[in-house]
Amino acid sequence: MDFGEKLISLRKKHRLTQKQLAKKIGVTSSTISKYENDNHRPPIFILAKLADELGTTTDFLLDDVAGLREKNSVNAFPLIGNPELEKWYLELPYSYSEEELLLLKKISEVLGNRNN
């Protein structure tokens, strides 16, 4: 079961609409829809709110997300302890190809070398 399917299942188990869940965690109903359709992944702080609201763990929700990330990328961005970069990385759409992620990695490396 992928992230979106888990989210739908838990939301329905708690008898919540997308709009109700969105309001509880401080996002829009269209954001919940994007998560449920696996078009976007939530940033960590939203993931924690989802897990808390749905009575589960982030580990449970993320189980397949790690597999999707490995399948769709080469883990192109080491997160280097930067919360803003981590948030940005986790919001990347699943649709980025391996080629596109590698290009982003190269850009990041060039910018990193510029600061040295």
Side-chain angles (χ1 to χ4, degrees):
M1 186 181 294
D2 65 21
F3 177 81
E5 291 170 329
K6 288 177 185 180
L7 188 56
I8 291 167
S9 175
L10 288 168
R11 179 178 57 76
K12 288 182 177 181
K13 180 180 174 185
H14 285 84
R15 298 180 182 186
L16 295 169
T17 64
Q18 287 180 342
K19 187 175 182 176
Q20 290 168 326
L21 178 58
K23 185 174 181 179
K24 287 178 178 274
I25 65 165
V27 299
T28 65
S29 57
S30 82
T31 298
I32 297 295
S33 177
K34 289 175 186 175
Y35 296 159
E36 289 184 352
N37 289 310
D38 289 317
N39 292 328
H40 290 286
R41 45 187 109 149
I44 289 177
F45 72 99
I46 295 294
L47 183 68
K49 288 180 180 183
L50 282 168
D52 187 51
E53 193 59 47
L54 297 172
T56 190
T57 64
T58 55
D59 286 345
F60 173 78
L61 291 172
L62 287 176
D63 186 37
D64 277 356
V65 172
L68 283 170
R69 183 181 286 165
E70 285 176 19
K71 184 174 97 177
N72 290 325
S73 75
V74 290
N75 292 322
F77 274 88
L79 300 179
I80 61 171
N82 181 327
E84 286 182 34
L85 179 60
E86 183 174 350
K87 181 178 181 245
W88 175 82
Y89 176 72
L90 292 171
E91 290 175 340
L92 288 174
Y94 291 129
S95 60
Y96 274 127
S97 70
E98 184 174 326
E99 250 177 36
E100 291 167 320
L101 287 171
L102 285 170
L103 179 59
L104 288 172
K105 181 180 181 186
K106 287 178 185 176
I107 292 167
S108 173
E109 289 169 355
V110 168
L111 291 174
N113 290 337
R114 209 176 90 194
N115 293 331
N116 291 333

